[in-house]
Amino acid sequence: MNKEYSTKDIVITGLGIAIVFVSTLFIHVPNGLDGYYNLGDGFILLFASFLNPFLSFVIGGLGSALADVAGGYAYYFIFTLIIKGLEGFVISYMIHKGSKKLRFLSYVIGIILMVIGYFFAKWYLKGSVLIAISSIPGNIMQGILSIVVAMAAYPIFKRILSVRN
């Protein structure tokens, strides 16, 4: 990739990583099944609405994976990096290659990707398909909340990004 990024892109990416990290690590509720519900996905969806697929991968993957490490779930690092990174990448790709009116659909597809990814990650890490299946409803609930957060914050964030100095 031979693309140069603007200072604005770099700053927004850093801000995105930080917001995803904080909203994952500090705004969460443990679920009792070796994990927790958090608001990080909502911000992955939000930033993926504005940035290109590569930067969206970086925000989703690094912000979430670093929160796993800091929160005591370091064994999820590589899975989270890939799953959340792909979530951001796919959403951004769909929004930027398709119609912006399909933003909601891209969010739904990104969340489905996240749910499926964590199903396989949990199955691999725990060695039990039943434990993996038990995590699906919680991930779906987190995904729905994330879509609500992203849809609510989108107009505000769009306005902030359109301000010029």
Side-chain angles (χ1 to χ4, degrees):
M1 179 178 266
N2 192 16
K3 178 175 177 155
E4 291 188 32
Y5 293 103
S6 69
T7 302
K8 182 178 179 180
D9 288 338
I10 294 168
V11 169
I12 292 171
T13 302
L15 178 67
I17 292 168
I19 289 174
V20 169
F21 175 84
V22 168
S23 62
T24 301
L25 184 62
F26 297 113
I27 307 172
H28 73 268
V29 177
N31 65 15
L33 295 170
D34 188 39
Y36 51 88
Y37 306 118
N38 65 77
L39 295 179
D41 281 296
F43 292 103
I44 293 170
L45 275 57
L46 180 64
F47 280 94
S49 299
F50 296 97
L51 296 175
N52 72 42
F54 175 74
L55 296 178
S56 299
F57 181 95
V58 171
I59 289 170
L62 277 181
S64 300
L66 291 173
D68 278 353
V69 171
Y73 296 93
Y75 51 94
Y76 273 100
F77 178 86
I78 194 68
F79 297 103
T80 296
L81 178 69
I82 293 167
I83 294 165
K84 302 287 185 151
L86 286 175
E87 177 183 356
F89 183 93
V90 167
I91 291 167
S92 176
Y93 183 83
M94 288 182 67
I95 289 172
H96 291 90
K97 293 296 182 192
S99 169
K100 300 227 187 257
K101 294 178 182 178
L102 296 177
R103 187 167 37 95
F104 178 78
L105 178 62
S106 71
Y107 290 171
V108 171
I109 291 171
I111 294 301
I112 290 170
L113 179 66
M114 180 269 294
V115 171
I116 291 169
Y118 276 112
F119 166 79
F120 285 109
K122 191 157 287 234
W123 187 2
Y124 176 78
L125 288 170
K126 301 302 175 184
S128 169
V129 72
L130 293 176
I131 292 173
I133 289 170
S134 71
S135 69
I136 291 174
N139 284 332
I140 291 171
M141 186 174 9
Q142 177 174 306
I144 292 168
L145 177 62
S146 297
I147 291 171
V148 170
V149 167
M151 295 296 282
Y154 180 85
I156 299 164
F157 201 69
K158 183 176 180 180
R159 189 168 194 177
I160 291 169
L161 289 180
S162 69
V163 173
R164 297 186 190 267
N165 291 335

